[in-house]
Amino acid sequence: MSDPLNALQRYYLEAMGIQVWERCVPDQGSRFKVEGSKTGKVVQRPSALEPSPSSQTPEPAMEGVPEGAGNVGEGPDLLKPSTLNLEPVTTLDWQQLRERVAECRSCEELAACRTQTVFGVGNRDADWLIIGEAPGADEDRQGEPFVGRAGQLLNAMLRGIGLEREQVYIANILKCRPPENRDPKPEEAAACSAFLQRQIVLVQPRVILAVGRIAAQNLLHCETPIGKLRGTVHRHESGVPLVVTYHPAYLLRSPLEKRKAWGDLCLARRVIREAAGQTS
Ligand code: URA
């Protein structure tokens, strides 16, 4: 049988979304943890932080990966995972996900500027998942999304439809504050998206409310203006219905648009009620 992949090779395959299947060797001393699957096949994953045999026996370099990349203290930073915790994000539980986010340094500039990551807040069992853009200065300081003026307005909007902030879950496209409150870069949103996807899977909301253009366009993978996205029910790739509304920071500047935002929240509430078989 050919040698199993080493930990770094496996890391890159997983980062590219390529699932690795290998034959199970029922060996007590194996470095792989074994998980059963419904097909009778067995998926093997390296246990976190275990050294790979490659650190003892040199292996040929992978195409495009400089030899020695991944060895601590060698190779370009891009190719060096900040830790060798190789558990895929899609398998993490809530606490593990929170820890993975807190230690993430995928976006060098954001990691260097942030006070802390902002994971999310609220009821992990919520029907409503509110998704904004990125933490601002207040959120970066306090470690919680939507705590500034925009957050106060968001709370008021939620209360307007009978919801307390504690009843919903609130997160952002980015877990780190972009410096000078600039827009998230596409590569930053892409780097952060696995965390949000995992939050969506774990919360299992009945509706996603995307607040603002950045959240809406990233979640729907489009460049359509927000005025055209709001007012209808979309479906997020997770299958969850998604309603778009204006960002509360925009509503603070354009209060006449609050009426439309109110309509959007009512639409989202209707989605939940209809799914629950209620009529009003
Ligand atoms: N704006 C956002 O989009 N998210 C926050 O958490 C705060 C302000």
Coordinates of all heavy atoms in Angstrom, one line a residue, residues 150-199:
A150 N -25.0 51.8 15.3 CA -25.8 51.0 14.3 C -26.4 49.8 15.1 O -27.5 49.4 14.8 CB -24.9 50.5 13.2
G151 N -25.7 49.3 16.1 CA -26.2 48.2 16.9 C -27.5 48.6 17.7 O -28.4 47.8 17.8
Q152 N -27.4 49.9 18.2 CA -28.6 50.4 18.9 C -29.8 50.4 18.0 O -30.9 50.0 18.4 CB -28.3 51.8 19.5 CG -27.1 51.9 20.4 CD -27.2 50.9 21.6 OE1 -28.2 50.7 22.2 NE2 -26.1 50.1 21.8
L153 N -29.6 50.9 16.8 CA -30.7 50.9 15.9 C -31.2 49.5 15.5 O -32.4 49.2 15.4 CB -30.4 51.7 14.6 CG -31.4 51.8 13.5 CD1 -32.8 52.3 14.1 CD2 -31.0 52.7 12.4
L154 N -30.2 48.6 15.3 CA -30.6 47.2 15.0 C -31.4 46.6 16.1 O -32.5 46.0 15.9 CB -29.3 46.3 14.8 CG -29.6 44.9 14.5 CD1 -30.3 44.7 13.2 CD2 -28.3 44.1 14.5
N155 N -31.0 46.9 17.4 CA -31.8 46.4 18.5 C -33.2 47.0 18.5 O -34.2 46.2 18.7 CB -31.2 46.8 19.8 CG -29.8 46.1 20.0 OD1 -29.5 45.2 19.3 ND2 -29.1 46.6 21.0
A156 N -33.3 48.2 18.1 CA -34.7 48.9 18.1 C -35.5 48.3 17.0 O -36.7 48.0 17.1 CB -34.5 50.4 17.9
M157 N -34.9 48.0 15.8 CA -35.6 47.4 14.7 C -36.1 46.0 15.1 O -37.3 45.6 14.8 CB -34.7 47.3 13.5 CG -34.4 48.6 12.8 SD -32.9 48.6 11.7 CE -33.4 47.4 10.5
L158 N -35.3 45.3 15.8 CA -35.7 43.9 16.2 C -36.8 44.0 17.2 O -37.8 43.3 17.1 CB -34.5 43.2 16.8 CG -33.4 42.8 15.9 CD1 -32.2 42.2 16.6 CD2 -33.9 41.7 14.8
R159 N -36.7 44.9 18.1 CA -37.8 45.1 19.1 C -39.1 45.5 18.4 O -40.2 45.1 18.9 CB -37.4 46.2 20.1 CG -37.4 45.6 21.5 CD -36.9 46.6 22.6 NE -35.5 46.4 22.8 CZ -34.6 47.4 22.8 NH1 -34.9 48.6 22.4 NH2 -33.3 47.2 23.1
G160 N -39.0 46.2 17.3 CA -40.1 46.6 16.6 C -41.0 45.4 16.1 O -42.2 45.5 15.8
I161 N -40.3 44.3 15.8 CA -41.0 43.1 15.4 C -41.1 42.1 16.5 O -41.3 40.9 16.3 CB -40.5 42.5 14.1 CG1 -39.0 42.2 14.3 CG2 -40.7 43.3 12.9 CD1 -38.5 41.2 13.3
G162 N -40.9 42.6 17.8 CA -41.1 41.7 18.9 C -40.0 40.8 19.3 O -40.2 39.8 20.0
L163 N -38.8 41.2 18.9 CA -37.6 40.3 19.2 C -36.6 41.1 20.1 O -36.3 42.2 19.7 CB -36.9 39.9 17.9 CG -37.6 38.8 17.0 CD1 -36.8 38.7 15.7 CD2 -37.6 37.5 17.7
E164 N -36.1 40.4 21.1 CA -35.0 41.0 21.8 C -33.7 40.5 21.2 O -33.7 39.4 20.6 CB -35.1 40.5 23.3 CG -36.2 41.2 24.1 CD -36.1 42.7 24.2 OE1 -34.9 43.2 24.2 OE2 -37.1 43.3 24.1
R165 N -32.7 41.3 21.3 CA -31.4 41.0 20.8 C -30.9 39.5 21.2 O -30.3 38.8 20.5 CB -30.4 42.0 21.3 CG -29.0 41.9 20.8 CD -28.2 43.0 21.4 NE -26.7 42.9 21.2 CZ -26.0 43.3 20.2 NH1 -26.6 43.9 19.2 NH2 -24.7 43.1 20.1
E166 N -31.3 39.2 22.5 CA -30.8 37.9 23.0 C -31.5 36.7 22.3 O -31.1 35.6 22.5 CB -31.1 37.8 24.5 CG -30.3 38.8 25.4 CD -30.7 40.3 25.2 OE1 -31.9 40.5 24.9 OE2 -29.9 41.1 25.4
Q167 N -32.6 37.0 21.6 CA -33.3 35.9 21.0 C -32.7 35.5 19.6 O -33.1 34.4 19.1 CB -34.8 36.3 20.8 CG -35.6 36.3 22.1 CD -37.0 36.8 21.8 OE1 -37.3 38.0 21.9 NE2 -37.9 35.9 21.4
V168 N -32.0 36.4 19.0 CA -31.4 36.1 17.7 C -29.9 35.8 17.8 O -29.4 36.0 18.9 CB -31.6 37.3 16.7 CG1 -33.1 37.7 16.7 CG2 -30.8 38.5 17.2
Y169 N -29.3 35.4 16.7 CA -27.9 35.3 16.7 C -27.3 36.3 15.7 O -27.9 36.5 14.6 CB -27.4 33.9 16.3 CG -25.9 33.7 16.7 CD1 -25.6 33.4 18.1 CD2 -24.9 34.0 15.9 CE1 -24.3 33.3 18.5 CE2 -23.6 33.9 16.3 CZ -23.3 33.6 17.6 OH -22.0 33.6 18.0
I170 N -26.3 37.0 16.1 CA -25.7 38.1 15.3 C -24.3 37.8 15.0 O -23.5 37.5 15.9 CB -25.8 39.4 16.0 CG1 -27.3 39.7 16.5 CG2 -25.4 40.5 15.1 CD1 -27.4 41.0 17.3
A171 N -23.9 37.8 13.7 CA -22.6 37.6 13.3 C -22.2 38.5 12.1 O -23.1 39.3 11.7 CB -22.4 36.1 12.9
N172 N -21.1 38.4 11.6 CA -20.6 39.3 10.5 C -19.9 38.4 9.4 O -19.5 37.3 9.7 CB -19.6 40.3 11.0 CG -20.3 41.5 11.7 OD1 -21.2 42.1 11.2 ND2 -19.8 41.8 12.9
I173 N -19.8 39.0 8.2 CA -19.1 38.4 7.2 C -17.6 38.2 7.6 O -17.0 37.2 7.4 CB -19.1 39.2 5.9 CG1 -20.6 39.3 5.3 CG2 -18.2 38.7 4.8 CD1 -21.1 38.0 4.8
L174 N -17.0 39.3 8.2 CA -15.7 39.2 8.7 C -15.7 39.2 10.2 O -16.5 39.8 10.9 CB -14.8 40.4 8.3 CG -14.5 40.6 6.8 CD1 -13.4 41.7 6.7 CD2 -14.0 39.4 6.2
K175 N -14.7 38.4 10.8 CA -14.6 38.3 12.2 C -13.6 39.4 12.8 O -13.4 39.5 14.0 CB -14.1 36.9 12.7 CG -14.9 35.8 12.1 CD -16.3 35.8 12.6 CE -17.1 34.6 12.2 NZ -18.5 34.8 11.9
C176 N -12.9 40.1 11.9 CA -11.9 41.1 12.3 C -12.3 42.5 11.7 O -12.9 42.5 10.6 CB -10.5 40.8 11.7 SG -9.8 39.2 12.4
R177 N -11.9 43.5 12.4 CA -12.2 44.8 11.9 C -11.3 45.3 10.8 O -10.0 45.2 11.0 CB -12.1 45.8 13.1 CG -12.3 47.2 12.7 CD -11.9 48.2 13.7 NE -12.2 49.6 13.2 CZ -11.5 50.7 13.6 NH1 -10.6 50.6 14.5 NH2 -11.9 51.8 13.1
P178 N -11.8 45.7 9.7 CA -10.9 46.2 8.7 C -10.4 47.6 9.1 O -11.2 48.4 9.6 CB -11.8 46.4 7.4 CG -13.0 45.6 7.7 CD -13.2 45.6 9.2
P179 N -9.1 47.9 8.9 CA -8.6 49.2 9.4 C -9.3 50.3 8.7 O -9.7 50.3 7.5 CB -7.1 49.1 9.0 CG -7.0 47.9 8.1 CD -8.1 47.0 8.3
E180 N -9.5 51.4 9.5 CA -10.2 52.6 9.0 C -11.6 52.3 8.5 O -12.1 53.0 7.7 CB -9.4 53.3 7.8 CG -7.9 53.5 8.1 CD -7.6 54.3 9.3 OE1 -8.4 55.2 9.6 OE2 -6.6 54.0 9.9
N181 N -12.2 51.2 8.9 CA -13.5 50.8 8.5 C -13.7 50.7 7.0 O -14.8 50.9 6.5 CB -14.6 51.8 9.1 CG -14.7 51.7 10.6 OD1 -14.2 50.7 11.2 ND2 -15.2 52.8 11.2
R182 N -12.6 50.3 6.3 CA -12.7 50.1 4.9 C -13.6 48.9 4.6 O -13.8 48.1 5.5 CB -11.4 50.0 4.2 CG -10.6 48.8 4.7 CD -9.5 48.4 3.7 NE -8.6 47.4 4.2 CZ -8.8 46.1 4.3 NH1 -10.0 45.7 4.0 NH2 -7.9 45.3 4.8
D183 N -14.1 48.8 3.4 CA -14.8 47.6 3.0 C -13.9 46.3 3.1 O -12.7 46.4 2.8 CB -15.3 47.7 1.5 CG -16.5 48.6 1.4 OD1 -17.0 49.1 2.4 OD2 -16.9 48.9 0.3
P184 N -14.6 45.2 3.5 CA -13.8 44.0 3.4 C -13.3 43.7 2.0 O -14.0 43.9 1.0 CB -14.8 42.9 3.8 CG -15.9 43.6 4.6 CD -15.9 45.0 4.0
K185 N -12.1 43.2 1.9 CA -11.6 42.8 0.5 C -12.2 41.4 0.2 O -12.4 40.6 1.1 CB -10.1 42.7 0.5 CG -9.4 44.0 0.8 CD -7.9 43.8 0.8 CE -7.2 45.1 1.1 NZ -5.8 45.0 1.3
P186 N -12.4 41.1 -1.1 CA -13.0 39.8 -1.4 C -12.2 38.6 -0.9 O -12.8 37.6 -0.4 CB -12.9 39.8 -3.0 CG -12.9 41.2 -3.4 CD -12.2 42.0 -2.3
E187 N -10.9 38.8 -0.9 CA -10.1 37.6 -0.4 C -10.2 37.5 1.2 O -10.1 36.4 1.7 CB -8.6 37.8 -0.8 CG -7.9 39.0 -0.3 CD -8.0 40.2 -1.3 OE1 -8.9 40.3 -2.0 OE2 -7.0 41.0 -1.2
E188 N -10.5 38.6 1.8 CA -10.7 38.5 3.3 C -12.1 37.8 3.6 O -12.2 37.0 4.4 CB -10.7 39.9 3.9 CG -9.4 40.6 3.9 CD -9.4 42.1 4.2 OE1 -10.5 42.7 4.2 OE2 -8.3 42.6 4.4
A189 N -13.1 38.2 2.8 CA -14.4 37.6 2.9 C -14.3 36.1 2.6 O -14.9 35.2 3.3 CB -15.4 38.2 2.0
A190 N -13.5 35.8 1.6 CA -13.4 34.3 1.2 C -12.7 33.6 2.3 O -13.0 32.5 2.7 CB -12.6 34.2 -0.1
A191 N -11.6 34.2 2.9 CA -10.9 33.5 4.0 C -11.7 33.3 5.2 O -11.5 32.3 6.0 CB -9.6 34.3 4.3
C192 N -12.7 34.1 5.4 CA -13.5 34.1 6.7 C -14.8 33.2 6.4 O -15.5 32.9 7.4 CB -13.9 35.5 7.1 SG -13.8 35.8 8.8
S193 N -15.1 32.9 5.2 CA -16.4 32.4 4.9 C -16.7 31.0 5.6 O -17.8 30.7 5.9 CB -16.7 32.4 3.4 OG -16.0 31.3 2.8
A194 N -15.6 30.2 5.7 CA -15.8 28.9 6.3 C -16.3 29.0 7.7 O -17.1 28.1 8.2 CB -14.5 28.1 6.2
F195 N -15.9 30.0 8.4 CA -16.3 30.2 9.8 C -17.8 30.5 9.9 O -18.5 29.9 10.7 CB -15.5 31.3 10.5 CG -14.0 31.1 10.5 CD1 -13.1 32.1 10.3 CD2 -13.5 29.8 10.8 CE1 -11.8 31.9 10.4 CE2 -12.2 29.6 10.9 CZ -11.3 30.7 10.7
L196 N -18.2 31.4 9.0 CA -19.6 31.8 9.0 C -20.5 30.6 8.5 O -21.6 30.3 9.0 CB -19.8 33.0 8.1 CG -21.2 33.6 8.0 CD1 -21.7 34.0 9.4 CD2 -21.3 34.8 7.1
Q197 N -20.0 29.9 7.5 CA -20.8 28.7 7.0 C -21.0 27.7 8.2 O -22.0 27.1 8.3 CB -20.0 28.0 5.9 CG -19.7 28.8 4.7 CD -20.9 29.3 3.9 OE1 -22.0 28.8 4.1 NE2 -20.8 30.3 3.2
R198 N -19.9 27.5 8.9 CA -20.0 26.6 10.0 C -21.0 27.1 11.1 O -21.8 26.3 11.7 CB -18.6 26.3 10.7 CG -18.6 25.2 11.7 CD -18.9 23.9 11.1 NE -19.1 22.8 12.2 CZ -19.8 21.8 12.0 NH1 -20.5 21.6 10.9 NH2 -19.9 20.9 13.0
Q199 N -21.0 28.4 11.3 CA -22.0 29.0 12.3 C -23.4 28.7 11.8 O -24.3 28.4 12.6 CB -21.7 30.5 12.5 CG -20.5 30.7 13.3 CD -20.2 32.2 13.5 OE1 -20.1 33.0 12.5 NE2 -20.1 32.7 14.7

